[in-house]
Each structure stands twice: as structure tokens, then as C-alpha cells.
Amino acid sequence: MKKVNLVLFSLLFSMLTLNAQEASVPNVLNIKSAQQSGEIMENRKIVGYYIFYLKEKVDKKNNAYVIDLFDDNYNKTKSIDITRPKSSILVQLAYNGEVFLLHFFDNKLGYEFATFDRSGKQTGSNKIDKKSIAKSDLMQISMTVNAGNEYQSIFPNGNKGFVRTTMVDNKKTGYEIVSIDNNAKITWSYKSNVSSTSIETISINDINNNILAASIFKKKNALSKEIQMYCLLLNTSTGKLISEIPMGDEASGFRSLLKTTYNEQSNSLILVGEFYKPNDDIVKDKSLGIFIQELDLEGNEKKIKEYKWKGQIDKFKLELDPDDKKAEKPFYAFFHDIIISKNGQIFLIGEQFKKQVSASGVASGIAAAALGGNSNTAAFEVRVENMIVIEFNNKFDLIDFKSIPKKKTTILLPQGSGLLSTTQLGYMVKYYGGFDYSFTSRDAENDKFEVVYIDANRKENEDSKGKSDLMLGVITIKNGKKEATRVPINSDAKSWWVQPAKTGFISVIEYYRKEKRLDMRLEQLSY
Amino acid sequence: MKLFLNFACVFMTTLLFSQTKKDTSAVLHLRNHIKTESENFVYKPELTKEQNRLLKERFQAKVKAEMNLIQSKSIIVEGVLYQRVEQIFNRILTANPSIPSNTKFVIYKSSDFNAFTMGDNLIFIHLGLLHSLKNDEEIGMVISHEIAHNNLKHIEQSMIDFVKYETDDSIKREIRDIMKQQYNQVSSLNALLLPRIFENREKSREHEYEADSLGLVYMINANFNPKKAIAAFVEMELRQTGQVEMIDLLKELNYRHIPELVAKENEYKRVGSLGVFEKDTSKLADYLATHPYERDRFLRLATQFKQDTIFANYTSKSEVADSSFRHLLNEEITRIELENKNFTTFVFFGCKSLLFHPNNSKDLKRLGLTFYALSYFKQKRIAGKFLLMQSSHYDESFDRICAFLYALSPDNCKKIADITLRNPNTKLHEEDLEYKLKQLLDFVEKKDFTSLEIFLSTNYETINKSEYSWIAKEILKQVYQTEKQKFLIPYIK
């Protein structure tokens, strides 16, 4: 009797809350379901957010889910009801202005790519059986999902469709770029050489104006120290190769490609990376400095400039903490983003890091050896240091660089990481979530960009006695001028987290267990 | 108006209010009134013994809720504002002998556009409804409608229906079976209960038509202009469909000579980032509404009482003579919104108030101090908790205020506060609550904790009893978080 009344009352109560404030989701039964949420991106800009949660079990094999879509102000715009196998996980939701593409992963069945139009109607579905998916791809997605990391393999391709990247089993591991239309049908695909004797992997940097730019890594085998990098350019309408540009050669010196971006103003591509001495190995040897290169859309070089760490960029050191003895030692930079402001200035956003011997790594190695076993922890760790902003004018002249201090953090990496090149080490640190960089929000129309990172120093200022719950660092680039601020974030909720939001804001998501309520609010990052 | 569902809602709300003030004679009078009415519970011969027992339980719970409500701080039962509404109420009562002469009303301190009755010859009228309706006829129509619900015993009928559902063994059995199901629990429950809920809504809609019809009879008997009374439904439909004329409320803040602030205002975008989505017309929202479409209600009434049936010919206008009444309503509603911890609705109603009374000292002081507080909240990144991003309950001018308040920087907020307090009518005096809150903010900003401690020991009680209590608490919480000043602990608990 009591149970029955409870059900009736719950039903009535849920109706009464239909008109509750849009930024509050009632009846969220557990935090796990609430955390399956993310941003909806359109042309590298956050245009909304989604929450994916379980509604009910439909049968032995299937569950009914609901996807709530919110605009960038957290106004609920749409709910999509879907039924999928109970082991389905929504790994990514992309939006191209016309349709939403949902990528489901099912550990038993494989992948499904489903498109939904703005009315919530399913417009297409493309299922890929688990047997047809490369093991390396499955492994990567499982690891990313299990670690709770963001998985991004799908990118909007104008409003016509999307492209996604996947690993394929060639002679060795290769990659494939697949174009999907708004009905989830494959329109073209581009594969790495099937008979290639190298392991080839891809990282898409930018898709714009019918051009896809990606970094390609090629190496003979998993343990090989010889790595070659290429910049791949594809026509996104046809999938035809425009160019695969090698990053240097032995005679002139190799280059590592860290970031590529499309420059709307000059209708060209900007490439950024590190360069090496002729005959140097990009794994073993230290880079000489960084390069910035401009290519036309056919892949032809328009200009290139190189800046050496020594004598040109080493001014960074002057800005490091003078009391920090370790700061004098060499460091590397990992570049997270390239921002091009309306006046043509180019800002490279990076983070310093360096390898150092790890006391705990060595200790666990000794302890493991004493017990007759092996430790998986490397004997060194990576120390993540300050944020850096390197600024160039439109002629690629280095005009400023700034080191923005933040509390140093360290990350232990698995054994074997010591063999990696600095570029790969940077990617490894990124993969393990070791960098403090969080995201960049872009509002190119208003020439405003915000780079957000976490500062482990949670004190608002030096004389503060208490600490905030979270301290964010924000680098604002507005009308070509940069400014750095620190933003404390506090919450009353026991379970809460922050998420990227529209430019100028951060989403604070708070879960109140007693009330079973999820509140989402926006707080301004810079004023 | 919303009958039984509102009863559930109000019942929950009343549990939140404690009995914090001494009962005035008016409240005592009302308590006796409810007590007398509650003694009239009559067993229904058509119900079983068990059903009558449950009905009595529900009846007692309802009486308790009513009692709690009238003893809480959330009602107005006397004063000038009350007396003004009482004039309309008494006019209806006097002209209609069929209405029990002991019928009473209270004003419920909520900005929602609503009114309700729980039976017992007692009507609750929300302040937000009085604030939105334009003239005596429209207010009278709503009062008459609620009186009609009371006289037609609709609440009692709804409670009987609810008890019948509750004791329906077949439903209970089916629910129990569903709960045992491994799959499709939600869908099965929907399939079982929604038809019953729709049926209940249909009945509820019929009740609404009946109350509209009888309510208009009461209005005509009281010599009110029926056309002006029916215009209340036009007002309701325009509100629901967002067709009300957009008023430039932000101009009341007098900042338009500052380009930086105008730029912030211009950041407002009417269409959301994901564009406009079609409304789900097939979904349940319309069915679940207890009230029929306002247009339908209007047409039924206009036809029945041989009034003009062309909707466009009805426009409601505020009456100039109502100026002091409007003033009181505005002042009360802005205070309530401030108490409700919502900067956006507070600024919305504050600006609306200034629209009628541009130099109202109380409104200006409240707005000024609220903008100072908002500035501090923005610095600490907690403003988002107390700002709305958009609301479907108000017109577009509300959305503009939402966007504007979100876009402001702490300095922008201070500028608006300064402009507001620069008005000759808003000089802060030592005895003003706003003066005290400003002092608190100044000590916090200057990190003058010695003065803050002394200030709190003498002034906190006064602030804590006011509409600013939550603002003071939030500020002190933030100070404690960063400065760990132990003397703050008792104030932030």
C-alpha cells in the first residue's frame, strides 16, 4: 500500500516539476548517469550541452535512454528518447548545425553511428560489427571510456555531415578517415596505405573550408625510436588526398608537428612544431627550437620561420621562479592550441614540462626488485610547469612570450616512457591527463578566446589563509591582447564538477544527492 | 485555480515555513474560521468505510496545511494592500447571497500568476496575480472564479476522486505487478496511470468551465463590466503565448549614457545557440494542464453571456486611479523576490516598479544594494546560483534582463549601483537596512575584520531578519572560505 502511494505521488510530483527552472534537472537518481554529459560543439565553438541517462530497462538486452539537449545557456531545447542495447555507452555527441551524430560503443556488438534531426527524429544509423573493428581502435576507446577521458574522433564537416577517424588493421596498424552524411551513410573514406610496413596513426587538427588537416605519425614498430611525422591534407568534399607533407628529412633536419590550424584571414594553414639539427633523431635528440610555417590549401609552403630555444626563446627562464633551482634545467613545451586573432596575431598556447628522476618510481622499482618482481612505474616522472603563450605577428615575427606561473605538478608515467621523444612524451602526458590545460573556448566572431587551465595553488592570493575548492587559471585573448587571471570556484554540493562552457564562462555542475537534483550554472571566467 | 495539484504543492510549501511570528487578531480569526469549517466533515454514504477514513485523513491533512499556511510569514491578511483587494471581494460577496457570508480570502506572498482554494470558504490569491492583472474587473473575475470553485465543492469532489483511485484494488494490483516486472516499468506505469490522469484532468477542466461561468454570474450580479472581466482570459493567454508588449524595463536603471553597459545589453540574442526547436505538440503538457486553453475559456464565456466573441477586441488597461495600489504591490513583490534569493526576478520586478514610480526610494535603495552584492557575488563566482538564464514564465523583457545581468562584470554592477544610489531620493540613512548591508560589504572588501566583527555583533540580528539575510550569509561564507576568520562561524551556520 505504502509503495503504491509512493509511486502515485512520485508521478504527480514529477509532473509538478515539469515547469521547474530549466537549469535544474530533477529526479536524477545517481551521479553516474548525470556524469555522462558533455558539450555540443559546432565549428570549434560550444553551442550547447547534453546529458545522457537511463530511463528504464526495456528487455533482457535493451534499455531506454533519454538524451536531454541544452543550448549554451542551459535552456533545455530537446529530449530524445532512444532504445539501445544495455551495454551501450554514448562516447561522443557531435552537432553540425543540422543533425546530431551519436557514437555508441557496445563492448559486445561494436559501434553504432546514429543521426537525429532537430525534431528528435532518427535520420540514419550505421552499425559496425565488433569483428570489423580494429583491435587497437577498440582498445583505445575502451581505455578512454574507462578512464573517463573525453573521446573525440568525430568532427563536423560543414552542415553536410561529419568525418571520423578510426584505426584499421593493415599489415600493421593504420588509420582511416570516414565521411558520414546527415543520414549516417558513408560518403567516402580515406585509408592509410594497406601494405605499409609502418604503424601509422592520425590526429585531426582542423577541418575548415573543405580542407582537413591532420598530423600523421609513422614508425616501424611499437618499440621503434624512429618516428616520422607528416601533415596530411584532404579535400573534405571528395576525400581526395591533397598532399601528405613530410616534416623535414635527415639532411635538412626533421620537424615534429604539434598543431595545425586553418587561418581564415589568409585562407591558409598554419603549422607549429619543433625542429631538429640535420641527422638528429627526434626521439633521442633535443629539438633546437620551434617553427611556424604557412601552407596554401594545396600544401605548398608560403613561409616558414624558426626560433631557437637558446638565445631566442630561453627568455622563458628569466620569468621562472628565481628560488626554484630546478627551473634552470632544460624544459620542453607541449602546445595545446593555436589562436589567431582578427589582427592576424598568432598565439601559441603551451605548457612547460620536463623529465626528472622520480623518487617514488625508483623506490617502487627497488621494492619490486627486492620482491623478485617488476614495477610498471618508470624511474622518472614528468614535472608539469608554467603555462606559456608565444605570440607572433602576421609575418611570423616572434613579438612576445609570456610564462604564466602556476603550481608545479608531477605525473608518473608507465615504464618505457623514457624511450619516447619529447613530442611523444608530451602526447603521453596529455593522454594520461597530466597537463593542467583544460580547454579553449572560442568566439572568433567577437575576437575573444579563453584558455582555461587548473592551478593546483588554490589560495586566492599569497596572504589568504583558506583555499578555494578549485582554482582555475584563465588566459584571455581579446582583440589581440592577452591577459591572465585566476578564478576561484566554490560549491556547497558534495558532488560537483566543472565543464567547458560558452566563451567567457565555465559550467559548474552540482549534484544534490538528498534532493536527487542536478543543478547546472554558469559562472563568468573573465570580466 | 489549480485545485488539487496546487493543494499538494501548497501542502509541501507550508511544511517549509515555521510558525515564526505571533498570530495577529486577523490570523486568529482565520484560524478559528478554518477550525469551524473543519468541524463540518461529513461521512459520504456513497463511499466505503475505508474510503471515508482515508477521506477524513486527507481532509485533516488539508486543514493542517491551511493552518500552517495562514500562520506562516507567507500570507497577508491585513493592511492597505489587503483592504484594497477586500473592497472588490466584499462587493462580490454583498451582491451574491448564495455565497456563504463567512467566505474569506488571504493574499499569498508569491510572485506566481495563480490563485487557489482548498475549500473551507477560504480563497488564496497570489501576489503575482494581483501584480499582473490590470484592473478591478480582472481581479474580481479571478476571485469570483475561486469562490465558485469553493461553492461548487470542487475540492471535495477532487478529494473523493483521489481517494477512490487510492483505494481501487485493481489499480493497486496492476501497479504491484508492474513493480515486479523486470522491464518497462516506467512505460507500463505511464500506460496504466496516464489515461486516469487525463480523465482526471478532463474533469478538472470541466470544473474550470463551471467556475468560470458561475464566477461571471457573480461578477455581473456585483455590477462589474463583464467585458472587462472576460479580458482577464485575454491577459492570461497573452502571457502564456508570450505576446505581451515588450517593455523596455532596463531603461529604468539609467545606465544608457555608459557605452560599456549598453554594449553588455546588446549582447542579448533572442535565438538560442542551437536555434529554435519546434514545440512537441504531441506531448503531454497540454493534457496535463488542469486549465483549458484560455482562448477556449474566453470563447465559452463570451458566447454564454452574449459578449463580443472577437478576441482582438479585448484589451486590458491599467487604471490611473490604481496608482497607490500598484505602488504597494510593486514594493511587496520586489521584497518577496529578494527574499527568494533570485537577483533576476528581483531586478525584473524592481524595474517594473520603477516604471510606475520612477523615484521610489525603497526600490532604488534595494536595487542599488543588490547590485553591490551582485558585484561581490560575481567576483567570487557564485552569482550563477542566484541568476536565471531564461524563463518561460515571463515575457521577453525578462530574458533581456537575464542576459544583461549575466553579462555584467563586478565593476559594471558597481556602476549601476552608484547610478541608482545617486538619485536624490536614495540617500542612505544609518537606520536603513541597505546602509547596514553596504557597511558589511565595505568591511569585507577592505578586509577590515576587526570592524566587521564589531559590526556583526551589533547589527547581524537586524540584517538576519530582513530580506537581505541570505546575501549577508553568502558574503560571510565566502569570506570564511578564503580568510578562515573564526568569529564568522556562528554567522554562517
Side-chain angles (χ1 to χ4, degrees):
Chain A
M1 176 73 186
K2 201 173 177 184
K3 202 171 182 181
V4 171
N5 282 342
L6 191 73
V7 171
L8 275 168
F9 183 73
S10 312
L11 199 73
L12 286 173
F13 184 70
S14 65
M15 283 158 191
L16 287 169
T17 54
L18 277 176
N19 287 325
Q21 195 193 113
E22 286 82 353
S24 190
V25 181
N27 304 331
V28 178
L29 297 180
N30 68 64
I31 190 75
K32 205 176 163 193
S33 64
Q35 274 178 327
Q36 215 172 329
S37 61
E39 305 83 53
I40 304 169
M41 305 288 293
E42 188 185 357
N43 293 329
R44 303 180 81 188
K45 190 177 172 182
I46 291 172
V47 289
Y49 320 92
Y50 69 89
I51 300 178
F52 177 70
Y53 56 93
L54 173 74
K55 184 181 160 193
E56 65 180 341
K57 292 175 184 175
V58 173
D59 54 41
K60 206 174 175 183
K61 289 180 181 168
N62 298 297
N63 285 342
Y65 300 94
V66 179
I67 302 167
D68 281 341
L69 303 174
F70 300 83
D71 71 9
D72 61 1
N73 282 326
Y74 275 116
N75 298 305
K76 192 170 158 187
T77 49
K78 197 83 207 162
S79 269
I80 299 175
D81 291 308
I82 49 168
T83 299
R84 286 293 178 279
K86 65 177 183 184
S87 45
S88 273
I89 296 167
L90 178 65
V91 284
Q92 198 187 337
L93 187 150
Y95 178 60
N96 67 5
E98 294 286 331
V99 300
F100 298 93
L101 175 66
L102 280 64
H103 176 188
F104 292 99
F105 166 56
D106 188 310
N107 205 20
K108 287 180 188 160
L109 302 170
Y111 295 160
E112 185 191 352
F113 299 91
T115 47
F116 290 83
D117 67 14
R118 294 166 52 80
S119 68
K121 199 179 122 201
Q122 184 165 339
T123 57
S125 168
N126 178 9
K127 289 179 184 166
I128 301 172
D129 189 76
K130 194 179 174 185
K131 285 176 197 156
S132 326
I133 304 168
K135 276 180 189 161
S136 46
D137 204 61
L138 287 170
M139 201 157 76
Q140 193 190 23
I141 206 164
S142 299
M143 278 171 71
T144 315
V145 167
N146 290 339
N149 292 336
E150 192 188 342
Y151 185 82
Q152 197 185 7
S153 68
I154 302 169
F155 302 81
N157 183 8
N159 59 6
K160 301 167 293 194
F162 303 85
V163 291
R164 72 174 188 91
T165 57
T166 180
M167 290 182 186
V168 289
D169 289 328
N170 289 339
K171 204 165 184 183
K172 287 189 176 163
T173 302
Y175 65 85
E176 185 180 7
I177 304 166
V178 184
S179 167
I180 305 162
D181 69 10
N182 287 351
N183 297 315
K185 283 187 183 144
I186 295 173
T187 49
W188 55 257
S189 118
Y190 177 86
K191 278 184 187 174
S192 58
N193 187 352
V194 186
S195 51
S196 171
T197 50
S198 301
I199 295 173
E200 299 189 18
T201 54
I202 184 170
S203 171
I204 289 186
N205 290 318
D206 205 0
I207 300 176
N208 226 314
N209 203 23
N210 284 337
I211 295 274
L212 176 152
S215 303
I216 305 289
F217 301 80
K218 292 183 186 178
K219 60 178 184 177
K220 292 280 174 204
N221 56 58
L223 295 172
S224 171
K225 290 179 182 179
E226 275 178 45
I227 294 172
Q228 272 193 300
M229 291 186 78
Y230 297 80
C231 175
L232 179 85
L233 302 179
L234 284 189
N235 180 315
T236 51
S237 298
T238 60
K240 293 227 167 100
L241 176 73
I242 297 171
S243 187
E244 191 183 74
I245 306 151
M247 293 285 101
D249 53 41
E250 212 149 359
S252 59
F254 283 111
R255 293 199 292 270
S256 65
L257 181 61
L258 296 175
K259 211 76 204 169
T260 315
T261 195
Y262 171 71
N263 187 350
E264 210 178 324
Q265 294 157 38
S266 57
N267 194 30
S268 60
L269 290 161
I270 308 286
L271 278 62
V272 173
E274 291 177 55
F275 66 96
Y276 295 78
K277 262 198 287 193
N279 301 316
D280 264 7
D281 187 323
I282 69 170
V283 177
K284 280 191 296 192
D285 299 309
K286 279 173 194 151
S287 69
L288 285 179
I290 58 167
F291 74 88
I292 177 161
Q293 185 181 23
E294 185 178 18
L295 303 179
D296 68 17
L297 299 187
E298 299 300 317
N300 304 311
E301 183 177 296
K302 287 172 84 176
K303 60 176 178 265
I304 185 165
K305 282 204 174 172
E306 292 175 340
Y307 293 94
K308 290 184 176 170
W309 296 120
K310 256 190 176 173
Q312 286 177 299
I313 310 178
D314 56 2
K315 287 178 199 170
F316 288 129
K317 290 180 187 173
L318 303 176
E319 293 188 31
L320 294 177
D321 183 358
D323 298 328
D324 185 354
K325 286 174 189 167
K326 287 179 181 173
E328 282 302 307
K329 291 182 180 173
F331 65 89
Y332 312 112
F334 183 82
F335 292 100
H336 297 291
D337 208 350
I338 304 175
I339 289 167
I340 303 173
S341 66
K342 274 189 177 169
N343 64 3
Q345 271 163 250
I346 298 161
F347 298 84
L348 301 189
I349 309 296
E351 205 168 343
Q352 294 173 314
F353 70 98
K354 63 184 171 197
K355 281 192 260 189
Q356 62 185 29
V357 174
S358 159
S360 58
V362 171
S364 69
I366 293 167
L371 294 168
N374 285 315
S375 163
N376 190 35
T377 314
F380 75 91
E381 62 191 8
V382 171
R383 179 171 142 124
V384 176
E385 305 203 350
N386 298 332
M387 295 298 295
I388 53 172
V389 183
I390 307 179
E391 191 177 341
F392 302 91
N393 64 16
N394 55 7
K395 291 173 187 156
F396 291 0
D397 299 325
L398 179 68
I399 53 172
D400 193 20
F401 45 73
K402 198 165 177 62
S403 164
I404 299 152
K406 63 176 166 67
K407 193 171 177 180
K408 282 81 186 157
T409 52
T410 53
I411 175 171
L412 282 169
L413 294 177
Q415 245 182 12
S417 307
L419 298 172
L420 299 174
S421 69
T422 53
T423 309
Q424 281 180 308
L425 192 62
Y427 277 104
M428 183 67 103
V429 176
K430 188 186 172 193
Y431 182 75
Y432 278 94
F435 285 119
D436 294 322
Y437 167 86
S438 188
F439 66 95
T440 303
S441 66
R442 333 176 82 85
D443 182 3
E445 203 182 311
N446 293 307
D447 204 12
K448 190 179 178 185
F449 307 86
E450 263 164 349
V451 178
V452 181
Y453 60 91
I454 290 165
D455 189 347
N457 173 15
R458 291 186 285 127
K459 281 190 173 184
E460 266 189 57
N461 40 54
E462 275 184 17
D463 55 347
S464 292
K465 287 178 185 160
K467 289 174 182 172
S468 61
D469 294 335
L470 177 74
M471 182 63 72
L472 297 176
V474 183
I475 303 164
T476 305
I477 296 168
K478 195 175 178 185
N479 302 323
K481 286 179 183 158
K482 58 185 181 298
E483 195 188 356
T485 46
R486 294 170 80 242
V487 176
I489 303 284
N490 294 306
S491 171
D492 293 334
K494 279 185 184 163
S495 302
W496 68 284
W497 64 97
V498 292
Q499 252 178 217
K502 64 177 182 173
T503 317
F505 291 85
I506 183 104
S507 304
V508 182
I509 322 285
E510 295 167 316
Y511 180 65
Y512 294 93
R513 190 193 300 265
K514 257 188 185 175
E515 297 92 334
K516 296 190 177 6
R517 194 184 81 233
L518 190 74
D519 282 355
M520 294 163 288
R521 62 179 159 106
L522 293 176
E523 293 297 346
Q524 265 163 302
L525 285 172
S526 62
Y527 295 111
Chain B
M1 284 168 98
K2 283 193 179 174
L3 289 172
F4 198 70
L5 280 181
N6 266 334
F7 162 68
C9 208
V10 169
F11 177 73
M12 292 189 65
T13 314
T14 53
L15 296 177
L16 299 172
F17 290 104
S18 57
Q19 198 178 327
T20 50
K21 67 171 186 181
K22 272 194 170 178
D23 295 342
T24 62
S25 60
V27 172
L28 278 173
H29 190 65
L30 273 173
R31 284 185 62 182
N32 289 333
H33 169 85
I34 295 169
K35 209 176 159 192
T36 315
E37 290 296 319
S38 65
E39 283 161 5
N40 297 338
F41 180 80
V42 183
Y43 285 87
K44 307 287 171 232
E46 73 272 24
L47 298 182
T48 63
K49 201 177 166 187
E50 171 64 6
Q51 285 172 332
N52 266 310
R53 188 190 63 77
L54 275 172
L55 185 65
K56 193 173 181 186
E57 255 182 45
R58 298 278 169 272
F59 186 79
Q60 284 166 343
K62 181 199 73 170
V63 169
K64 198 177 169 192
E66 269 182 319
M67 282 288 195
N68 284 341
L69 197 57
I70 61 158
Q71 287 169 164
S72 73
K73 286 203 280 186
S74 55
I75 57 157
I76 300 171
V77 286
E78 55 199 348
V80 185
L81 186 66
Y82 183 84
Q83 284 161 9
R84 178 66 183 79
V85 183
E86 199 176 26
Q87 284 173 16
I88 306 169
F89 185 82
N90 285 343
R91 186 170 155 187
I92 298 164
L93 228 63
T94 318
N96 291 285
S98 61
I99 302 173
S101 57
N102 66 343
T103 304
K104 310 240 173 279
F105 81 97
V106 295
I107 298 173
Y108 184 48
K109 291 182 188 177
S110 156
S111 59
D112 292 345
F113 187 87
N114 202 4
F116 64 94
T117 176
M118 293 194 233
D120 303 325
N121 299 336
L122 183 59
I123 311 298
F124 291 82
I125 305 161
H126 284 230
L127 204 61
L129 186 124
L130 295 173
H131 186 268
S132 297
L133 294 177
K134 300 279 172 56
N135 50 45
D136 285 8
E137 282 79 1
E138 289 182 5
I139 295 171
M141 185 66 221
V142 173
I143 293 172
S144 298
H145 172 96
E146 294 306 323
I147 294 174
H149 272 312
N150 179 69
N151 284 9
L152 293 166
K153 307 248 178 265
H154 285 159
I155 299 300
E156 196 179 284
Q157 191 53 51
S158 300
M159 286 173 75
I160 291 170
D161 289 345
F162 192 71
V163 163
K164 281 180 183 170
Y165 280 129
E166 246 187 325
T167 51
D168 184 336
D169 283 339
S170 65
I171 298 179
K172 279 197 279 184
R173 243 192 328 272
E174 284 185 72
I175 291 176
R176 236 178 267 132
D177 290 343
I178 290 170
M179 300 311 279
K180 281 181 201 160
Q181 274 178 209
Q182 208 175 346
Y183 308 113
N184 290 316
Q185 280 191 354
V186 177
S187 308
S188 306
L189 276 175
N190 280 346
L192 173 71
L193 296 174
L194 283 177
R196 287 169 172 84
I197 290 170
F198 294 156
E199 190 189 326
N200 188 273
R201 293 298 183 277
E202 279 303 313
K203 208 176 252 182
S204 177
R205 285 179 174 211
E206 278 311 315
H207 284 175
E208 294 303 320
Y209 291 132
E210 284 171 25
D212 287 344
S213 179
L214 182 59
L216 193 56
V217 170
Y218 292 155
M219 288 295 283
I220 293 167
N221 290 345
N223 226 1
F224 280 108
N225 179 340
K227 189 173 176 184
K228 282 170 93 176
I230 294 175
F233 295 99
V234 177
E235 186 67 29
M236 286 183 221
E237 178 170 302
L238 294 178
R239 273 177 61 88
Q240 279 189 353
T241 51
Q243 292 178 54
V244 285
E245 187 191 348
M246 205 191 73
I247 304 166
D248 182 8
L249 288 175
L250 284 169
K251 80 171 175 13
E252 301 306 319
L253 297 174
N254 282 320
Y255 59 78
R256 295 232 167 103
H257 56 285
I258 303 175
E260 185 192 350
L261 294 176
V262 175
K264 296 280 183 188
E265 188 187 336
N266 291 338
E267 284 178 20
Y268 168 75
K269 280 183 187 147
R270 198 172 177 189
V271 177
S273 57
L274 291 177
V276 178
F277 282 79
E278 273 177 39
K279 279 193 176 173
D280 290 334
T281 48
S282 61
K283 290 259 167 107
L284 308 173
D286 295 334
Y287 280 105
L288 293 176
T290 50
H291 289 59
Y293 290 122
E294 313 307 346
R295 180 73 65 106
D296 189 25
R297 292 169 75 179
F298 156 81
L299 271 174
R300 281 193 183 214
L301 274 185
T303 312
Q304 188 187 347
F305 290 87
K306 298 189 170 48
Q307 296 295 315
D308 186 354
T309 52
I310 300 168
F311 194 74
N313 290 345
Y314 286 76
T315 48
S316 55
K317 277 183 187 162
S318 289
E319 279 158 20
V320 182
D322 264 3
S323 174
S324 59
F325 177 51
R326 295 272 141 218
H327 174 68
L328 287 169
L329 280 171
N330 286 328
E331 208 168 278
E332 192 60 36
I333 211 154
T334 45
R335 197 181 59 74
I336 290 169
E337 288 310 320
L338 194 51
E339 278 177 349
N340 283 345
K341 303 185 180 184
N342 191 326
F343 284 121
T344 318
T345 46
F346 164 73
V347 172
F348 176 70
F349 283 107
C351 288
K352 271 195 162 185
S353 181
L354 288 175
L355 196 70
F356 288 102
H357 305 94
N359 292 316
N360 184 305
S361 151
K362 190 68 190 165
D363 284 336
L364 287 165
K365 283 179 188 176
R366 274 183 184 149
L367 278 165
L369 258 297
T370 306
F371 272 100
Y372 275 132
L374 184 58
S375 165
Y376 184 79
F377 281 29
K378 284 198 168 239
Q379 279 174 49
K380 293 291 172 185
R381 268 75 177 188
I382 52 165
K385 280 196 222 176
F386 309 103
L387 290 172
L388 289 178
M389 290 177 247
Q390 198 176 311
S391 172
S392 54
H393 300 303
Y394 302 101
D395 56 48
E396 201 193 333
S397 60
F398 186 84
D399 292 343
R400 294 191 80 95
I401 289 177
C402 291
F404 182 62
L405 295 185
Y406 249 104
L408 293 176
S409 70
D411 281 348
N412 296 154
C413 293
K414 276 188 182 164
K415 275 182 191 156
I416 294 175
D418 290 340
I419 294 167
T420 313
L421 294 178
R422 213 180 288 144
N423 186 306
N425 291 328
T426 53
K427 191 174 179 334
L428 295 179
H429 301 285
E430 247 181 79
E431 65 277 12
D432 287 343
L433 275 165
E434 291 78 11
Y435 181 86
K436 293 183 197 304
L437 190 68
K438 180 80 175 66
Q439 267 191 310
L440 186 148
L441 272 162
D442 287 344
F443 292 138
V444 166
E445 295 228 323
K446 286 178 198 156
K447 292 194 173 183
D448 181 354
F449 300 124
T450 314
S451 304
L452 181 65
E453 189 172 5
I454 298 165
F455 171 82
L456 289 174
S457 64
T458 50
N459 293 291
Y460 189 75
E461 268 313 296
T462 319
I463 295 176
N464 197 32
K465 281 179 187 161
S466 74
E467 59 269 34
Y468 298 112
S469 68
W470 66 276
I471 291 181
K473 201 172 238 177
E474 283 295 335
I475 294 169
L476 298 177
K477 257 165 73 178
Q478 293 303 314
V479 178
Y480 182 74
Q481 174 109 24
T482 48
E483 305 299 337
K484 296 282 174 229
Q485 296 287 335
K486 285 188 178 160
F487 72 90
L488 292 170
I489 293 171
Y491 302 109
I492 58 173
K493 270 184 181 169

